[in-house]
Amino acid sequence: MVYKKVMDPVKPAAKEPKSRRLTNIERSSYFARREAAKVLKSVLQGDANRRAVGSIKTLVYSPSIRNKKATFALVCQTLKYLPIIKDVLEIANVLNSKWKRQVELMYIITYDILFGQDSSLTGDPEKYLILRKSQLQSALAKILVKKGAKRIEDLMSQYKIPDVKKPRYVRVNTLKLDVETAVSELSKDNMVEKDDMIPDLLVLPPGTDLHNHPLVINGSVFMQGKASSMVAVALGPKPGWEVIDACAAPGNKTVHLAAVMKGEGKIIACELNKDRVKRLEHTTNLAGATNVEVLHENFLNLNPEDELYSKVRAILLDPSCSGSGTVADRLDYLLPSHTSGDDGDVGRLLKLAAFQEKAIIHALSFPGVERVVYSTCSVHQIENEDVIKSVLPFAASLGFHLATPFPQWARRGLPVVEGSQHLLRTDPVEDKEGFFIALFTRNATHSPESPQKVEKGSLDNLKHEGVGKCDCHKKFLRVLPFTRISRLYLHRNLVMHGR
């Protein structure tokens, strides 16, 4: 059958040059839709379960995705129109059980038919929906009438998807390239400025696409946000130190540490998730960070008393968090949970905070450690100031105190904990991302008290491995100071959603 010959990626039709060129276009679009469907499935499952494997960008720009630019565009555009697409498919009632098993691919094809370009829609699922194009268009017309919208643009405005314009930050990987050479190369096509606070960080105009730039592809520069780039600098390990990156994947902060240390010393990069370990290894290899040792292990399982870690002097702790401060950068505002307003799951925040507190306590327990930086990409007080307040007595018993990272930075912690002036926050509106950094430093001459005296009280509740979900919430509520400012800052959406 001629159609099959055109579709066959191994044996394309070869009779006419024009046909061969068309087949290449069709093939590229065909595989881009399938790669996009794979990413979309992972994104939607992670959003539904609140256990994302990675951001949209992280998933699209992984090594396994070949046509990154087309895939990224398809995923973002399909997510943008997804509420409408779902309504169209429900009204048209065209998906039987067979096609519902490939629903993410059907979402993408429906986007292409109704809002994109359907000129190269080849493949069985594509053919199936093309034959039902009139039904899809009829369903869309009914939605327009129901919503009182004359145009698609009017319909989209009802979903209030923001247009977020954030500068493009890139960090020069000084393990491979000096800053001046990077500025010279990037300036050939873009306006480039040096950041006024972070060494080696460059600022380019919003929307600058560098994903296919040779310097990005070969690991000479990394696309990394300003707040994220603060963390390794705040920790400030010296060349030759031994350092632990406790929750390392995807590895941008890990290789930044390697650059700060000039490739000297040793970085133990821990990651529990097998797939994220692969991503971490790819990042370190790309950066040329030869002093990084990737460890497929839970940081909490490392024994602070083990001789293997006796020389560790600094720990970077950037644990799992709600990600509420990076919705713009991660494109989370396109996800169903965000568009539905479902971003105030207090139970989930409590569970995250319990893990975060346990991780800080563990990091502070390594006897040779002098500096610990704790960071989150969260705006929530529960994950930030409240966690710091709950571990301060334990930290003090070991000789740690809060230091001030980047004293010139204006935005500090919420005034609900002693020493809030030492904590650092970035603002989602002013800085286009919400981030939190706390730096603990230890006086080497201090003789610590017995940790058991501090842990015996409230902290001991959180270190118990067998805490159930309900018990965890009750015990955590006794530990953390839920002040009036906390409830106003965090939970303003709860009343709106009847929680």
Side-chain angles (χ1 to χ4, degrees):
M1 183 175 177
V2 176
Y3 180 79
K4 287 189 176 180
K5 288 182 180 179
V6 172
M7 274 302 300
D8 190 342
V10 179
K11 299 179 180 179
K15 290 185 178 181
E16 298 179 11
K18 185 176 181 180
S19 177
R20 185 183 303 114
R21 183 171 62 85
L22 183 60
T23 300
N24 289 337
I25 295 173
E26 289 179 340
R27 183 188 295 114
S28 177
S29 299
Y30 176 89
F31 286 112
R33 283 191 293 274
R34 277 137 189 86
E35 287 189 321
K38 181 180 178 181
V39 171
L40 184 62
K41 182 175 183 178
S42 180
V43 166
L44 293 178
Q45 287 181 345
D47 184 55
N49 299 327
R50 303 298 192 272
R51 295 181 63 87
V53 175
S55 69
I56 298 169
K57 287 184 177 179
T58 298
L59 293 170
V60 169
Y61 291 100
S62 67
S64 63
I65 302 297
R66 296 175 62 186
N67 194 343
K68 293 177 171 51
K69 188 173 182 179
T71 299
F72 183 68
L74 273 174
V75 171
C76 290
Q77 288 299 103
T78 302
L79 281 170
K80 184 177 179 180
Y81 287 88
L82 189 58
I84 299 176
I85 291 171
K86 285 183 174 180
D87 286 346
V88 164
L89 290 174
E90 182 178 355
I91 293 171
N93 193 26
V94 295
L95 298 186
N96 57 31
S97 58
K98 173 186 175 181
W99 299 117
K100 285 180 179 178
R101 290 194 291 269
Q102 302 180 56
V103 68
E104 293 82 15
L105 179 57
M106 305 309 277
Y107 289 156
I108 288 168
I109 297 169
T110 302
Y111 161 76
D112 259 342
I113 291 174
L114 294 179
F115 311 110
Q117 298 178 352
D118 64 358
S119 59
S120 58
L121 288 178
T122 53
D124 289 344
E126 287 88 342
K127 182 179 179 181
Y128 178 85
L129 282 181
I130 279 289
L131 292 174
R132 291 154 180 82
K133 182 176 180 177
S134 60
Q135 294 168 255
L136 298 177
Q137 291 175 328
S138 175
L140 178 59
K142 290 178 181 178
I143 294 172
L144 285 166
V145 171
K146 182 179 179 180
K147 297 288 186 178
K150 295 181 179 180
R151 303 176 304 164
I152 298 299
E153 292 78 8
D154 299 331
L155 190 61
M156 290 304 300
S157 67
Q158 297 185 29
Y159 292 90
K160 298 180 181 179
I161 296 176
D163 181 18
V164 180
K165 292 185 178 180
K166 178 183 175 183
R168 167 66 71 192
Y169 289 99
V170 296
R171 181 181 58 79
V172 181
N173 176 19
T174 53
L175 295 173
K176 285 190 169 185
L177 191 69
D178 63 272
V179 175
E180 295 307 323
T181 302
V183 171
S184 177
E185 288 297 315
L186 292 171
S187 296
K188 293 177 180 178
D189 302 308
N190 307 279
M191 292 181 58
V192 181
E193 296 179 359
K194 294 181 181 179
D195 185 73
D196 58 0
M197 193 174 71
I198 310 296
D200 313 330
L201 191 67
L202 305 178
V203 189
L204 286 78
T208 303
D209 186 2
L210 296 174
H211 291 97
N212 293 320
H213 196 284
L215 294 184
V216 173
I217 293 173
N218 67 22
S220 294
V221 302
F222 280 82
M223 292 182 290
Q224 186 171 351
K226 180 167 181 171
S228 174
S229 300
M230 288 180 176
V231 181
V233 178
L235 184 62
K238 305 297 183 185
W241 279 21
E242 287 196 12
V243 178
I244 292 176
D245 188 350
C247 307
N252 284 352
K253 296 182 184 70
T254 310
V255 297
H256 193 182
L257 284 174
V260 170
M261 297 165 63
K262 303 184 185 302
E264 302 173 14
K266 180 181 179 181
I267 301 169
I268 302 168
C270 300
E271 178 55 48
L272 179 59
N273 183 280
K274 182 175 66 173
D275 293 330
R276 289 171 64 81
V277 165
K278 294 178 182 178
R279 177 65 171 164
L280 174 59
E281 291 173 338
H282 172 77
T283 304
T284 55
N285 291 334
L286 180 65
T290 56
N291 62 331
V292 174
E293 174 189 320
V294 175
L295 185 62
H296 184 191
E297 181 60 271
N298 185 343
F299 167 65
L300 294 178
N301 290 339
L302 303 190
N303 182 2
E305 303 299 328
D306 194 317
E307 185 66 23
L308 288 172
Y309 311 114
S310 61
K311 296 180 181 179
V312 172
R313 299 179 66 177
I315 295 179
L316 189 157
L317 178 60
D318 186 61
S320 299
C321 72
S322 64
S324 52
T326 59
V327 293
D329 193 49
R330 290 169 53 92
L331 304 177
D332 287 352
Y333 58 87
L334 295 175
L335 298 178
S337 63
H338 184 85
T339 55
S340 68
D342 186 15
D343 60 353
D345 189 340
V346 179
R348 174 173 174 257
L349 293 177
L350 289 170
K351 291 172 68 176
L352 285 168
F355 166 75
Q356 292 155 356
E357 178 173 354
K358 184 182 291 187
I360 296 180
I361 291 171
H362 193 64
L364 297 171
S365 300
F366 285 74
V369 165
E370 302 170 25
R371 299 173 71 84
V372 174
V373 70
Y374 169 74
S375 64
T376 73
C377 49
S378 170
V379 300
H380 295 311
Q381 181 184 323
I382 288 179
E383 299 178 273
N384 298 331
E385 287 85 359
D386 288 350
V387 168
I388 297 303
K389 183 170 184 177
S390 66
V391 303
L392 277 178
F394 179 77
S397 77
L398 297 178
F400 285 97
H401 65 276
L402 288 173
T404 310
F406 302 103
Q408 69 272 40
W409 186 257
R411 285 175 276 283
R412 314 311 299 191
L414 299 177
V416 296
V417 56
E418 185 177 354
S420 61
Q421 71 275 14
H422 299 298
L423 306 175
L424 184 151
R425 271 184 175 268
T426 66
D427 185 81
V429 176
E430 296 293 329
D431 308 307
K432 302 297 186 292
E433 58 184 333
F435 224 84
F436 177 86
I437 299 175
L439 173 63
F440 295 88
T441 62
R442 173 154 58 182
N443 184 345
T445 61
H446 181 84
S447 178
E449 303 172 12
S450 170
Q452 284 77 12
K453 293 181 180 179
V454 183
E455 292 180 45
K456 206 168 187 68
S458 59
L459 292 176
D460 200 40
N461 291 331
L462 292 173
K463 297 193 75 175
H464 190 274
E465 296 291 339
V467 174
K469 183 175 180 181
C470 294
D471 289 338
C472 176
H473 288 194
K474 293 176 182 177
K475 293 177 181 178
F476 209 90
L477 285 168
R478 291 201 296 270
V479 176
L480 295 183
F482 288 107
T483 60
R484 180 174 179 79
I485 189 170
S486 172
R487 295 199 178 275
L488 287 174
Y489 189 80
L490 290 174
H491 312 318
R492 56 182 179 271
N493 289 329
L494 297 184
V495 174
M496 295 171 57
H497 298 292
R499 294 182 181 175

